Amino acid sequence: VIAINCCGEEYTDGDGTVYEADNYFSTGTTSDHGSQYDIELTKDEELYHTERWADKDLEYNVPFNVDIGKFVLILKFSEVYFQQAGEKVFDIALGKKIVIKDLDIFDIIGKAKAHDEYIEFEIKEDGLLYYAVSIFNN
């Protein structure tokens, strides 16, 4: 498991997963604007209080040293800044492939509520990445 607390310090969640302090980013501005809110729909609201944002692309390059297997990338979001749907809409890419298009957290769940995106992918023996996207509202 590789877990990162975006813009936050090391944190151990209620299930015992240890999130590293923010690391592996190449761009972005940090914010703890979310710390003024009680984040609903989670027992680990500290993971949703901080963020890294950018006007353009935001990129993390996480070391991933495996040969083959099935994996799940879990991205944890909470909209704490914008006030209505359509104000922040973005895509998520894994490698060079867009795996989620036009994501709008406020439109999906509203303000100050936890929302996780699950992105399943597989590295097969030929070394190529294959992606399947599943979206779950928490």
Side-chain angles (χ1 to χ4, degrees):
V1 172
I2 300 171
I4 302 165
N5 186 8
C6 184
C7 183
E9 299 298 320
E10 182 176 300
Y11 175 78
T12 302
D13 73 10
D15 294 326
T17 301
V18 177
Y19 288 76
E20 297 177 33
D22 197 16
N23 201 356
Y24 310 119
F25 56 88
S26 59
T27 59
T29 301
T30 61
S31 172
D32 66 352
H33 184 78
S35 62
Q36 64 185 305
Y37 295 97
D38 291 326
I39 306 299
E40 297 178 45
L41 306 178
T42 182
K43 293 181 270 182
D44 292 296
E45 67 180 292
E46 292 87 349
L47 291 172
Y48 301 87
H49 281 162
T50 57
E51 66 180 332
R52 179 172 295 281
W53 63 272
D55 289 334
K56 300 285 181 188
D57 295 341
L58 175 64
E59 186 174 292
Y60 276 80
N61 293 297
V62 180
F64 200 70
N65 300 317
V66 297
D67 293 323
I68 60 173
K70 293 182 179 182
F71 304 92
V72 177
L73 172 63
I74 304 171
L75 301 171
K76 297 181 170 293
F77 296 102
S78 181
E79 182 53 66
V80 295
Y81 186 77
F82 293 100
Q83 302 298 318
Q84 62 186 12
E87 289 186 310
K88 179 170 65 177
V89 180
F90 56 97
D91 300 335
I92 297 171
L94 184 56
K96 295 182 186 230
K97 180 179 174 107
I98 292 178
V99 293
I100 298 177
K101 182 87 173 141
D102 298 327
L103 184 61
D104 185 337
I105 302 303
F106 192 98
D107 187 49
I108 293 170
I109 196 106
K111 187 163 184 133
K113 296 177 184 168
H115 173 75
D116 297 349
E117 292 284 335
Y118 292 73
I119 303 166
E120 298 175 4
F121 65 100
E122 182 175 1
I123 300 176
K124 296 196 174 192
E125 290 184 46
D126 59 10
L128 298 175
L129 293 178
Y130 295 88
Y131 310 97
V133 179
S134 299
I135 300 172
F136 302 92
N137 292 324
N138 294 336

